[in-house]
Amino acid sequence: MSVTYNIHPAFAADDASLLETDLTTCQLLVLVGKGSFNYVVYNPAARKFLALKSYRFAPQKATIADIEVIEQVFDTDKLLFTNFSDVLLAFDGGNSTLVPEMHFDPAIKKDYLHLIYPEQAQELVMADTISDQQMVNVYSVDKDLFGFLRKEFSTDKFSHVNTGLLKGYRFDNDYLELNGIIYLDIQQHKFTLTVYRFGKLLLQQEMNSQTGLDVVYHLINTIRQTGLDESQVKVKVGGPVTQDSQIYEELRRFVPKLEWVPRLTGFWYINKMEEIPGYYFNNLYSLALCV
């Protein structure tokens, strides 16, 4: 028997008039994670984001339960009924690894992933080519979730959240920092570290965390492993983190050069989005670069 959930967006930035607006030239960019369903409506001609919704729910033990929650989001969110020009489905979660493009063979993409991670039940292995950084992001998604979303949205456009992050960070000139820069995308119970030095990608790694000290420990360890100077490297934080959060307080204690990831530059945002800190949904906005 299915369970009925009380579905309301944790964040919403839209306008009721959108339901009466022709959005058929717009794109729907969807980001699905464990316990989250997020999307933005994007007008590529105007390079403008028109709506944002973020739904949060308790992560379910079985994928079918996650699907039931997302089905109820569909039932309550009328904006999702729009016939968009394109729909991009992006996945946050599962295992992922970066492979140099020159060494990538699509026929053995599973092998790249399984050199690091054990094969999972109901696993589908996919790959995103990031040509401007000569990398391929190989990642896994759950087959049932993938099949459900693909059918619901009738799309063949897919991506991984880290692919969007890698593309988005290149819009921030600090990725050229001579002393190095580390971008931290902090989400619930996990975070992604992306390290550049003078424009060269050194590392991207996703890790689980329970406390701010977990994040600090892995951050400092990464700085030392990559040979960067702890006193000189810049660290920029993105994700739904507040200045008074325990994670941010711990980072302030140990990181001399700490800043927020800027809102993706070169794009326009409705006023309600401007009221939400830009770094909150940097991963979602960056999907506009993946379509």
Side-chain angles (χ1 to χ4, degrees), residues 105-120:
D105 180 352
I108 59 170
K109 61 183 178 184
K110 287 186 177 181
D111 296 339
Y112 299 111
L113 197 64
H114 297 152
L115 280 172
I116 306 171
Y117 304 103
E119 186 171 357
Q120 303 293 312

Side-chain angles (χ1 to χ4, degrees), residues 123-169:
E123 176 187 74
L124 178 65
V125 177
M126 305 176 70
D128 299 336
T129 300
I130 312 169
S131 297
D132 62 343
Q133 299 179 60
Q134 294 84 51
M135 289 287 178
V136 177
N137 185 14
V138 182
Y139 57 97
S140 65
V141 299
D142 182 272
K143 283 184 179 179
D144 289 339
L145 180 63
F146 176 85
F148 165 75
L149 292 170
R150 184 179 189 181
K151 180 181 178 181
E152 286 293 327
F153 287 108
S154 301
T155 186
D156 286 313
K157 295 187 176 181
F158 313 101
S159 186
H160 189 266
V161 63
N162 290 348
T163 300
L165 289 174
L166 285 169
K167 290 175 177 285
Y169 293 149

Side-chain angles (χ1 to χ4, degrees), residues 2-64:
S2 63
V3 178
T4 300
Y5 298 88
N6 189 16
I7 299 296
H8 296 287
F11 288 92
D14 65 347
D15 191 318
S17 66
L18 280 178
L19 293 174
E20 301 167 0
T21 303
D22 181 8
L23 299 176
T24 56
T25 60
C26 294
Q27 298 170 343
L28 180 69
L29 312 177
V30 179
L31 179 58
V32 182
K34 197 68 176 173
S36 67
F37 180 90
N38 312 286
Y39 72 81
V40 287
V41 176
Y42 174 63
N43 183 337
R47 294 177 68 85
K48 185 173 183 179
F49 294 98
L50 304 178
L52 180 152
K53 295 276 186 72
S54 176
Y55 293 88
R56 306 283 172 158
F57 49 92
Q60 308 299 303
K61 292 182 179 180
T63 300
I64 189 66

Side-chain angles (χ1 to χ4, degrees), residues 166-178:
L166 285 169
K167 290 175 177 285
Y169 293 149
R170 295 283 287 261
F171 277 64
D172 177 26
N173 286 333
D174 279 350
Y175 90 98
L176 295 168
E177 278 279 338
L178 182 60

